[in-house]
Amino acid sequence: VIVFLSIVNTRNYMRVNMYTDFPLQTYIDAETTTSSFGEYFLTGFNQKITNTPKEVMVFEENTKTSDIVYSTNFLSFDLKNEVGQILSFRHIAFPGVNLYVNNEKQEYDHNENKLITKYLEKGEYKILIKYEKTSITKISLLISFLSLIYFLFFLKTKTL
């Protein structure tokens, strides 16, 4: 039972962090219905951001986006940045969320609204924001798997 519950819990945790193909407001609504205290959000997250249209990928002026693709674990789009500036992307900075600019993984910061921010020079870019399993998630999956094998082995030896 414990092994089953740990697998279910790990799978639910991973699914919560893979809401990139839903409007941000759907994610907010899903989280606030499970908790009256909003502990799933980073402290300081501004929910007013969720009122922007889904097509808005970057909140600064002098930018144009195109070829927007949403999936269950990534968001990608082409970006034309007309001036060098710090850009706020339409995605919450969260463990496991990585930013790729022109297919190269980038370090990023977050602003006061907990959105991913990155300074980009004037130019055209291919942006990919992708959820990838963190080290702790990989370790917990391995532990769950090994526990399941041990549990099944234990059951088999007890029935003999």
Side-chain angles (χ1 to χ4, degrees), residues 34-132:
T34 60
S35 166
S36 58
F37 301 108
E39 69 261 15
Y40 294 112
F41 293 119
L42 298 173
T43 304
F45 176 70
N46 184 350
Q47 292 187 23
K48 291 179 184 177
I49 293 166
T50 63
N51 297 329
T52 58
K54 188 175 181 180
E55 294 77 29
V56 176
M57 294 292 109
V58 179
F59 291 98
E60 285 69 32
E61 296 181 11
N62 302 312
T63 61
K64 295 179 184 174
T65 56
S66 60
D67 295 327
I68 301 168
V69 178
Y70 288 93
S71 179
T72 57
N73 66 343
F74 75 88
L75 165 65
S76 70
F77 56 94
D78 293 332
L79 171 69
K80 182 175 183 181
N81 190 25
E82 297 177 2
V83 297
Q85 60 184 331
I86 296 175
L87 300 174
S88 302
F89 296 103
R90 184 193 179 92
H91 204 291
I92 299 170
F94 205 79
V97 174
N98 295 304
L99 172 67
Y100 293 85
V101 178
N102 295 336
N103 296 320
E104 291 184 25
K105 190 173 181 178
Q106 302 285 315
E107 295 292 321
Y108 62 83
D109 292 316
H110 60 81
N111 62 15
E112 66 278 358
N113 294 319
K114 307 306 179 196
L115 296 177
I116 293 173
T117 60
K118 177 74 178 170
Y119 177 85
L120 292 177
E121 295 287 341
K122 176 181 178 180
E124 295 184 11
Y125 301 94
K126 180 71 176 174
I127 304 297
L128 174 66
I129 300 172
K130 183 177 183 180
Y131 172 77
E132 297 171 318

Side-chain angles (χ1 to χ4, degrees), residues 11 14 18 95-96 98 131-138 141:
R11 297 293 300 160
M14 289 171 22
M18 294 174 25
N98 295 304
Y131 172 77
E132 297 171 318
K133 293 176 186 168
T134 62
S135 298
I136 193 74
T137 304
K138 291 175 185 176
L141 286 171

